[in-house]
Amino acid sequence: MKLMRSLQAVGIEPYVIYSSGRGLKKYRENRKAFLAQAGDDPLWPLGDAYPCLSDRYDVSGVAKGQYFHQDLLVAQQIHAAKPERHVDVGSRVDGFVAHVAAFMPIEVVDIRPLTTTAENITFTQRDLMIADPEFDDYTDSLSCLHTLEHFGLGRYGDPVDYDGYRKGFDNLARMVRPGGTFYLSVPISRRQRIEFDAHRLFEVPHVVELVEDQFDIKTAAIVNDAEDVVRDVDVRSAEGHRSFDVEYGCIMLDLRKRHERSATTPS
């Protein structure tokens, strides 16, 4: 598994290489059969060859996994909530952002530039590790999905900052109006760690500690190691304290911002 991830990190996909090798013989057979059927018909002349050698061995689509479940679940929650305004920080544009833009305007904030002519999507470039009072009480609905774990690791051109995720969270919290909603997801594991410079993996109790000073947790869901979603989990249960026994999963939190910060943070 470690070797597989190391190869993928440098752009080598062993499964695609294996499937492409299997598919080459079938490609040649299909091309020969197709040309024989076409004969001298001028309606569909062949252009440049464009072999797609591994597709015949793939499934029809991916309907599981962390990004699939979080993008769908949170978009559904926003659709049901019908906020006045929704702002997203750093989530997947061709997944979650597109889902939300299908039914309401969404403003995207990211440290990286974005160019789009898509309707319902506007963009602001900003480093969320830097406080900006202009963004205080900015929206009644905010999302940050599979993003906070990257803050401060330098992967996306951000400054290296060991406490970057804490600074980022505080600035995200400042964007949400009192009583507003914050949808947050981060990767979780029973072994909290940094896999530099890809991401952090959080233990669930640490996530709870991070958010509960300013937010109430309304609902929580996880994606487990089988890449299936489990809804309505109890983050304070024994399973929650063990981070639901996952090695590499994801937690999705529906948070409500309190009107005042807690005087003390519960253990």
Side-chain angles (χ1 to χ4, degrees):
M1 182 61 68
K2 288 185 178 180
L3 177 59
M4 181 76 73
R5 292 179 63 185
S6 297
L7 291 171
Q8 290 172 334
V10 295
I12 300 173
E13 292 286 350
Y15 175 76
V16 174
I17 294 172
Y18 170 72
S19 298
S20 296
R22 289 178 64 197
L24 182 58
K25 181 176 182 291
K26 191 65 178 177
Y27 167 79
R28 289 171 172 166
E29 292 174 354
N30 286 352
R31 180 182 172 91
K32 182 178 180 181
F34 190 83
L35 289 173
Q37 292 176 17
D40 296 327
D41 186 355
L43 182 62
W44 287 104
L46 288 186
D48 294 338
Y50 194 153
C52 299
L53 303 178
S54 63
D55 289 352
R56 59 180 47 84
Y57 304 112
D58 288 340
V59 295
S60 60
V62 179
K64 63 189 309 181
Q66 297 181 28
Y67 287 95
F68 173 82
H69 287 303
Q70 74 169 15
D71 292 355
L72 182 59
L73 174 63
V74 178
Q76 290 171 337
Q77 290 173 323
I78 294 168
H79 184 269
K82 295 180 172 57
E84 295 178 12
R85 176 186 195 181
H86 188 77
V87 178
D88 177 77
V89 175
S91 304
R92 194 171 63 160
V93 173
D94 60 347
F96 171 73
V97 171
H99 292 348
V100 176
F103 59 83
M104 70 173 295
I106 179 171
E107 179 180 350
V108 175
V109 180
D110 202 302
I111 194 171
R112 300 164 295 176
L114 174 68
T115 301
T116 180
T117 58
E119 292 185 7
N120 273 356
I121 300 176
T122 57
F123 176 72
T124 300
Q125 190 167 8
R126 179 190 170 193
D127 181 353
L128 263 293
M129 291 190 297
I130 300 174
D132 186 345
E134 291 187 8
F135 286 86
D136 289 356
D137 297 331
Y138 192 66
T139 183
D140 64 321
S141 182
L142 178 71
S143 55
C144 183
L145 308 182
H146 246 301
T147 300
L148 187 66
E149 68 269 18
H150 303 300
F151 284 19
L153 300 185
R155 175 178 173 180
Y156 294 111
D158 50 312
V160 173
D161 188 331
Y162 183 78
D163 293 319
Y165 76 100
R166 288 188 179 273
K167 295 175 182 177
F169 179 81
D170 285 342
N171 290 325
L172 288 163
R174 291 174 59 175
M175 294 177 67
V176 185
R177 298 171 191 156
T181 303
F182 181 21
Y183 304 96
L184 174 68
S185 79
V186 293
I188 58 170
S189 176
R190 56 180 172 260
R191 298 184 300 117
Q192 183 157 298
R193 61 194 185 276
I194 293 174
E195 296 180 338
F196 196 84
D197 59 354
H199 49 221
R200 296 174 176 85
L201 294 157
F202 293 79
E203 292 178 350
V204 168
H206 186 58
V207 179
V208 173
E209 176 191 356
L210 183 68
V211 306
E212 67 182 351
D213 185 41
Q214 300 184 63
F215 293 91
D216 293 319
I217 300 174
K218 293 301 182 181
T219 64
I222 66 161
V223 178
N224 58 26
D225 285 332
E227 299 190 330
D228 295 322
V229 66
V230 183
R231 299 178 183 239
D232 299 319
V233 299
D234 183 354
V235 296
R236 292 183 172 84
S237 65
E239 293 83 359
H241 280 281
R242 300 196 309 269
S243 298
F244 302 99
D245 298 314
V246 300
E247 179 63 19
Y248 178 37
C250 173
I251 192 165
M252 299 158 284
L253 300 173
D254 177 353
L255 307 171
R256 295 295 185 278
K257 189 174 184 182
R258 289 194 290 271
H259 289 269
E260 295 181 1
R261 294 178 68 132
S262 299
T264 59
T265 301
S267 58

PDB file of all heavy atoms in Angstrom, residues 25-38:
ATOM      1  N   LYS A  25      -4.559  -5.524 -26.702  1.00  0.00           N
ATOM      2  CA  LYS A  25      -4.974  -6.574 -27.634  1.00  0.00           C
ATOM      3  C   LYS A  25      -6.437  -6.379 -28.041  1.00  0.00           C
ATOM      4  O   LYS A  25      -6.782  -6.485 -29.232  1.00  0.00           O
ATOM      5  CB  LYS A  25      -4.784  -7.947 -26.984  1.00  0.00           C
ATOM      6  CG  LYS A  25      -5.174  -9.132 -27.871  1.00  0.00           C
ATOM      7  CD  LYS A  25      -4.842 -10.439 -27.165  1.00  0.00           C
ATOM      8  CE  LYS A  25      -5.166 -11.657 -28.046  1.00  0.00           C
ATOM      9  NZ  LYS A  25      -6.626 -11.816 -28.223  1.00  0.00           N
ATOM     10  N   LYS A  26      -7.296  -6.072 -27.067  1.00  0.00           N
ATOM     11  CA  LYS A  26      -8.718  -5.875 -27.376  1.00  0.00           C
ATOM     12  C   LYS A  26      -8.911  -4.649 -28.256  1.00  0.00           C
ATOM     13  O   LYS A  26      -9.772  -4.652 -29.154  1.00  0.00           O
ATOM     14  CB  LYS A  26      -9.509  -5.736 -26.076  1.00  0.00           C
ATOM     15  CG  LYS A  26     -11.014  -5.782 -26.273  1.00  0.00           C
ATOM     16  CD  LYS A  26     -11.459  -7.135 -26.795  1.00  0.00           C
ATOM     17  CE  LYS A  26     -12.957  -7.221 -26.942  1.00  0.00           C
ATOM     18  NZ  LYS A  26     -13.400  -8.508 -27.508  1.00  0.00           N
ATOM     19  N   TYR A  27      -8.139  -3.612 -28.016  1.00  0.00           N
ATOM     20  CA  TYR A  27      -8.229  -2.401 -28.853  1.00  0.00           C
ATOM     21  C   TYR A  27      -7.941  -2.736 -30.316  1.00  0.00           C
ATOM     22  O   TYR A  27      -8.667  -2.311 -31.222  1.00  0.00           O
ATOM     23  CB  TYR A  27      -7.247  -1.348 -28.340  1.00  0.00           C
ATOM     24  CG  TYR A  27      -7.022  -0.204 -29.294  1.00  0.00           C
ATOM     25  CD1 TYR A  27      -7.939   0.839 -29.401  1.00  0.00           C
ATOM     26  CD2 TYR A  27      -5.893  -0.173 -30.112  1.00  0.00           C
ATOM     27  CE1 TYR A  27      -7.730   1.893 -30.287  1.00  0.00           C
ATOM     28  CE2 TYR A  27      -5.677   0.875 -31.003  1.00  0.00           C
ATOM     29  CZ  TYR A  27      -6.602   1.898 -31.088  1.00  0.00           C
ATOM     30  OH  TYR A  27      -6.396   2.938 -31.964  1.00  0.00           O
ATOM     31  N   ARG A  28      -6.886  -3.501 -30.539  1.00  0.00           N
ATOM     32  CA  ARG A  28      -6.526  -3.853 -31.910  1.00  0.00           C
ATOM     33  C   ARG A  28      -7.619  -4.700 -32.568  1.00  0.00           C
ATOM     34  O   ARG A  28      -7.967  -4.502 -33.739  1.00  0.00           O
ATOM     35  CB  ARG A  28      -5.198  -4.596 -31.917  1.00  0.00           C
ATOM     36  CG  ARG A  28      -3.993  -3.700 -31.588  1.00  0.00           C
ATOM     37  CD  ARG A  28      -2.752  -4.527 -31.407  1.00  0.00           C
ATOM     38  NE  ARG A  28      -1.554  -3.685 -31.278  1.00  0.00           N
ATOM     39  CZ  ARG A  28      -0.381  -4.132 -30.849  1.00  0.00           C
ATOM     40  NH1 ARG A  28      -0.246  -5.421 -30.502  1.00  0.00           N
ATOM     41  NH2 ARG A  28       0.655  -3.320 -30.748  1.00  0.00           N
ATOM     42  N   GLU A  29      -8.174  -5.642 -31.809  1.00  0.00           N
ATOM     43  CA  GLU A  29      -9.249  -6.483 -32.344  1.00  0.00           C
ATOM     44  C   GLU A  29     -10.470  -5.633 -32.695  1.00  0.00           C
ATOM     45  O   GLU A  29     -11.074  -5.797 -33.767  1.00  0.00           O
ATOM     46  CB  GLU A  29      -9.634  -7.539 -31.318  1.00  0.00           C
ATOM     47  CG  GLU A  29      -8.568  -8.600 -31.070  1.00  0.00           C
ATOM     48  CD  GLU A  29      -8.949  -9.541 -29.943  1.00  0.00           C
ATOM     49  OE1 GLU A  29     -10.001  -9.282 -29.282  1.00  0.00           O
ATOM     50  OE2 GLU A  29      -8.209 -10.515 -29.697  1.00  0.00           O
ATOM     51  N   ASN A  30     -10.856  -4.729 -31.813  1.00  0.00           N
ATOM     52  CA  ASN A  30     -12.030  -3.894 -32.047  1.00  0.00           C
ATOM     53  C   ASN A  30     -11.831  -2.954 -33.230  1.00  0.00           C
ATOM     54  O   ASN A  30     -12.746  -2.736 -34.032  1.00  0.00           O
ATOM     55  CB  ASN A  30     -12.361  -3.081 -30.800  1.00  0.00           C
ATOM     56  CG  ASN A  30     -12.971  -3.925 -29.704  1.00  0.00           C
ATOM     57  OD1 ASN A  30     -13.280  -5.092 -29.913  1.00  0.00           O
ATOM     58  ND2 ASN A  30     -13.135  -3.333 -28.526  1.00  0.00           N
ATOM     59  N   ARG A  31     -10.638  -2.397 -33.342  1.00  0.00           N
ATOM     60  CA  ARG A  31     -10.368  -1.478 -34.449  1.00  0.00           C
ATOM     61  C   ARG A  31     -10.460  -2.213 -35.795  1.00  0.00           C
ATOM     62  O   ARG A  31     -11.043  -1.696 -36.761  1.00  0.00           O
ATOM     63  CB  ARG A  31      -8.983  -0.840 -34.279  1.00  0.00           C
ATOM     64  CG  ARG A  31      -8.614   0.149 -35.388  1.00  0.00           C
ATOM     65  CD  ARG A  31      -7.207   0.695 -35.165  1.00  0.00           C
ATOM     66  NE  ARG A  31      -6.772   1.477 -36.306  1.00  0.00           N
ATOM     67  CZ  ARG A  31      -6.937   2.785 -36.453  1.00  0.00           C
ATOM     68  NH1 ARG A  31      -7.575   3.466 -35.502  1.00  0.00           N
ATOM     69  NH2 ARG A  31      -6.511   3.411 -37.534  1.00  0.00           N
ATOM     70  N   LYS A  32      -9.895  -3.417 -35.825  1.00  0.00           N
ATOM     71  CA  LYS A  32      -9.938  -4.200 -37.066  1.00  0.00           C
ATOM     72  C   LYS A  32     -11.378  -4.522 -37.447  1.00  0.00           C
ATOM     73  O   LYS A  32     -11.787  -4.386 -38.620  1.00  0.00           O
ATOM     74  CB  LYS A  32      -9.124  -5.484 -36.891  1.00  0.00           C
ATOM     75  CG  LYS A  32      -9.066  -6.350 -38.139  1.00  0.00           C
ATOM     76  CD  LYS A  32      -8.195  -7.580 -37.893  1.00  0.00           C
ATOM     77  CE  LYS A  32      -8.130  -8.465 -39.143  1.00  0.00           C
ATOM     78  NZ  LYS A  32      -7.293  -9.674 -38.899  1.00  0.00           N
ATOM     79  N   ALA A  33     -12.191  -4.925 -36.460  1.00  0.00           N
ATOM     80  CA  ALA A  33     -13.591  -5.247 -36.713  1.00  0.00           C
ATOM     81  C   ALA A  33     -14.375  -4.022 -37.159  1.00  0.00           C
ATOM     82  O   ALA A  33     -15.218  -4.085 -38.070  1.00  0.00           O
ATOM     83  CB  ALA A  33     -14.224  -5.853 -35.465  1.00  0.00           C
ATOM     84  N   PHE A  34     -14.089  -2.875 -36.550  1.00  0.00           N
ATOM     85  CA  PHE A  34     -14.804  -1.644 -36.882  1.00  0.00           C
ATOM     86  C   PHE A  34     -14.498  -1.201 -38.310  1.00  0.00           C
ATOM     87  O   PHE A  34     -15.396  -0.808 -39.067  1.00  0.00           O
ATOM     88  CB  PHE A  34     -14.427  -0.542 -35.887  1.00  0.00           C
ATOM     89  CG  PHE A  34     -15.266   0.692 -35.997  1.00  0.00           C
ATOM     90  CD1 PHE A  34     -16.498   0.767 -35.374  1.00  0.00           C
ATOM     91  CD2 PHE A  34     -14.835   1.776 -36.736  1.00  0.00           C
ATOM     92  CE1 PHE A  34     -17.276   1.907 -35.480  1.00  0.00           C
ATOM     93  CE2 PHE A  34     -15.610   2.915 -36.861  1.00  0.00           C
ATOM     94  CZ  PHE A  34     -16.841   2.983 -36.221  1.00  0.00           C
ATOM     95  N   LEU A  35     -13.223  -1.270 -38.693  1.00  0.00           N
ATOM     96  CA  LEU A  35     -12.839  -0.882 -40.053  1.00  0.00           C
ATOM     97  C   LEU A  35     -13.479  -1.805 -41.086  1.00  0.00           C
ATOM     98  O   LEU A  35     -13.872  -1.358 -42.171  1.00  0.00           O
ATOM     99  CB  LEU A  35     -11.318  -0.895 -40.184  1.00  0.00           C
ATOM    100  CG  LEU A  35     -10.575   0.224 -39.443  1.00  0.00           C
ATOM    101  CD1 LEU A  35      -9.070   0.009 -39.512  1.00  0.00           C
ATOM    102  CD2 LEU A  35     -10.942   1.589 -40.009  1.00  0.00           C
ATOM    103  N   ALA A  36     -13.567  -3.087 -40.734  1.00  0.00           N
ATOM    104  CA  ALA A  36     -14.209  -4.021 -41.657  1.00  0.00           C
ATOM    105  C   ALA A  36     -15.683  -3.678 -41.842  1.00  0.00           C
ATOM    106  O   ALA A  36     -16.228  -3.751 -42.956  1.00  0.00           O
ATOM    107  CB  ALA A  36     -14.050  -5.447 -41.150  1.00  0.00           C
ATOM    108  N   GLN A  37     -16.367  -3.269 -40.778  1.00  0.00           N
ATOM    109  CA  GLN A  37     -17.771  -2.884 -40.866  1.00  0.00           C
ATOM    110  C   GLN A  37     -17.943  -1.582 -41.647  1.00  0.00           C
ATOM    111  O   GLN A  37     -18.905  -1.417 -42.401  1.00  0.00           O
ATOM    112  CB  GLN A  37     -18.373  -2.727 -39.477  1.00  0.00           C
ATOM    113  CG  GLN A  37     -18.500  -4.017 -38.697  1.00  0.00           C
ATOM    114  CD  GLN A  37     -19.023  -3.772 -37.285  1.00  0.00           C
ATOM    115  OE1 GLN A  37     -19.582  -2.721 -36.988  1.00  0.00           O
ATOM    116  NE2 GLN A  37     -18.833  -4.761 -36.418  1.00  0.00           N
ATOM    117  N   ALA A  38     -17.020  -0.646 -41.467  1.00  0.00           N
ATOM    118  CA  ALA A  38     -17.134   0.667 -42.117  1.00  0.00           C
ATOM    119  C   ALA A  38     -16.966   0.555 -43.624  1.00  0.00           C
ATOM    120  O   ALA A  38     -17.623   1.262 -44.396  1.00  0.00           O
ATOM    121  CB  ALA A  38     -16.089   1.628 -41.531  1.00  0.00           C
TER     122      ALA A  38
END
